[in-house]
Amino acid sequence: MKNILSIVFLSVGMTAFSQQVENIETILNDKISIRALEVDDSKIWYSGTDSKFGFVDLKDYKNQKQIRLSEEKLQFRTLAQDKNSFYAINIESPGRFFKIDKKDLKSQIVFTDTTKTAFYDALHFVNDKLAYTFSDADKDHLLKLAVYRDGRWGMFKNDVLLNDGEAAFAASNTNISSTKKYMWIATGGKASRILRLNLKTEKLEIFKTPFIQGESSQGMYSIDFNDDQFGIAVGGDYTKQDANINNIATTNDGGETWQIQASGHNAGYMTCVKIKPGSKGKEIIAVGDQHISYSSDFGKTWKKISDEKGLYVCQWIDGNRVVLAGKDRVVMLKLK
């Protein structure tokens, strides 16, 4: 019986870690840092440093276009879209909300946050008519959200207070996630918590997590939810890239409680996590400055599938292709 069980467990382990990289191809080279990606019209769209915004055609990588949204050297770490337009917000004050028409790529500033502490970490569209973006708080520690509804941007009124030193990381535009019922925001720093917004009642709840936290460089950097119940968070400490304790967690109750996964048994600091579409949360890819990693068992165990460095954000294209971007490049990863 022991031998039979050993064979069974070995087979399960081999299945769980069967994911392998077929090839990685650079599809854009440029002097740019990219931390936000969107897919639309068979193109991968990006925003980045030096006010740069553009696309690479996924059907023909040579078909590319890049424009500058401003004559100033603004740094963009956010990007989102509705049916007709893209939206991007620069970090640092004043925070300017750019709207870019998909047809002619003409842009305009549709909202401005002039507060000195304005620093928008992520921008997320729940649907074509509703979007939220999360900024570092002002001195009063009041949760700062801007909301897009009825075609207009404005501030989301609330009375939620963040802890001293609690903020978020503009690492990959993915510390916000949503389903039809909820939207979640992951904070980090001296406190790393989950904020959950009921999209129907607009009630905000806050849940503690066992994630690494306590220092300004620690906490959750990225989250993704498959449905109203299952979600995953990754992160760590960007000043300690190899540190791999309490830097991955999953929830099965909509973010109310979190379970640490693979602590001490993963490749370290991660900036972006994405659940494979159609996998119901079973298959997940994550990227950090020093690696690309994969889980085939709902985030419980992880395998480093690439030593590619300098990549910060990823996006699934289909069942076996993932686009990643970061320092000076965009790459296409194909899985076997």
Side-chain angles (χ1 to χ4, degrees):
M1 179 63 100
K2 288 183 178 179
N3 290 336
I4 293 174
L5 287 175
S6 297
I7 293 172
V8 170
F9 288 136
L10 179 61
S11 298
V12 171
M14 290 177 67
T15 301
F17 291 122
S18 62
Q19 195 60 254
Q20 295 180 343
V21 175
E22 181 176 316
N23 73 295
I24 297 179
E25 181 180 2
T26 297
I27 62 176
L28 172 72
N29 272 311
D30 187 33
K31 188 173 179 57
I32 186 175
S33 178
I34 299 172
R35 292 182 179 269
L37 295 173
E38 285 287 324
V39 179
D40 182 67
D41 190 30
S42 298
K43 299 178 178 69
I44 187 76
W45 298 80
Y46 61 87
S47 62
T49 48
D50 289 342
S51 298
K52 292 178 178 179
F53 167 82
F55 72 80
V56 179
D57 192 328
L58 297 175
K59 294 180 179 179
D60 177 9
Y61 299 155
K62 294 181 179 179
N63 181 21
Q64 305 179 7
K65 185 170 184 176
Q66 185 180 94
I67 62 173
R68 291 191 64 189
L69 298 178
S70 171
E71 293 183 0
E72 297 179 57
K73 289 188 175 183
L74 302 180
Q75 185 175 162
F76 291 94
R77 296 191 179 187
T78 58
L79 184 64
Q81 63 175 310
D82 61 17
K83 184 178 179 180
N84 299 312
S85 306
F86 290 104
Y87 297 81
I89 310 167
N90 62 283
I91 60 172
E92 301 176 339
S93 182
R96 283 157 280 194
F97 292 48
F98 287 79
K99 179 180 180 180
I100 307 115
D101 187 275
K102 287 185 176 181
K103 291 183 179 180
D104 57 19
L105 299 188
K106 290 183 178 180
S107 66
Q108 59 178 314
I109 297 172
V110 292
F111 187 75
T112 303
D113 183 347
T114 59
T115 58
K116 293 181 179 180
T117 55
F119 195 108
Y120 284 86
D121 302 290
L123 169 61
H124 178 81
F125 268 77
V126 175
N127 54 53
D128 277 348
K129 298 180 179 180
L130 181 65
Y132 293 88
T133 180
F134 177 48
S135 169
D136 289 355
D138 296 333
K139 292 181 180 180
D140 58 7
H141 301 311
L142 187 68
L143 173 67
K144 189 174 183 179
L145 285 175
V147 59
Y148 173 85
R149 57 162 64 98
D150 300 324
R152 295 183 179 181
W153 286 98
M155 301 312 296
F156 180 80
K157 295 182 180 180
N158 70 94
D159 57 2
V160 173
L161 295 177
L162 299 183
N163 291 323
D164 184 34
E166 181 180 13
F169 301 104
S172 60
N173 196 44
T174 54
N175 54 29
I176 303 178
S177 183
S178 72
T179 56
K180 289 184 179 180
K181 185 176 182 179
Y182 296 117
M183 183 189 74
W184 298 264
I185 298 172
T187 68
K190 292 185 177 180
S192 190
R193 302 186 294 174
I194 287 290
L195 315 179
R196 187 176 73 180
L197 176 68
N198 185 305
L199 293 169
K200 184 177 181 179
T201 65
E202 293 196 333
K203 177 185 177 182
L204 270 165
E205 300 173 280
I206 304 179
F207 305 109
K208 294 181 179 180
T209 76
F211 225 86
I212 183 173
Q213 56 196 281
E215 301 292 337
S216 61
S217 56
Q218 297 176 341
M220 292 178 285
Y221 279 68
S222 176
I223 56 173
D224 198 17
F225 274 78
N226 178 69
D227 50 39
D228 292 340
Q229 301 301 313
F230 180 78
I232 183 162
V234 303
D237 187 334
Y238 74 82
T239 67
K240 300 174 183 177
Q241 297 274 319
D242 295 331
N244 62 359
I245 305 298
N246 297 348
N247 66 318
I248 302 171
T250 57
T251 179
N252 289 290
D253 57 11
E256 295 184 26
T257 62
W258 291 80
Q259 295 75 45
I260 292 294
Q261 306 291 358
S263 184
H265 300 282
N266 65 82
Y269 168 71
M270 301 174 182
T271 55
C272 186
V273 64
K274 287 291 182 179
I275 295 170
K276 180 179 177 179
S279 73
K280 298 182 179 180
K282 183 178 181 181
E283 296 185 64
I284 309 168
I285 196 165
V287 61
D289 290 7
Q290 305 295 315
H291 65 96
I292 304 169
S293 293
Y294 203 93
S295 175
S296 298
D297 58 1
F298 299 95
K300 295 177 181 178
T301 59
W302 290 80
K303 177 186 178 183
K304 182 169 67 172
I305 59 173
S306 173
D307 287 310
E308 290 288 324
K309 294 177 173 51
L311 298 172
Y312 315 131
V313 58
C314 58
Q315 183 71 262
W316 285 94
I317 301 302
D318 52 37
N320 70 333
R321 291 188 302 163
V322 181
V323 168
L324 305 99
K327 180 176 171 53
D328 300 334
R329 60 184 178 140
V330 177
V331 304
M332 175 69 76
L333 179 149
K334 291 184 179 181
L335 299 166
K336 291 183 179 179

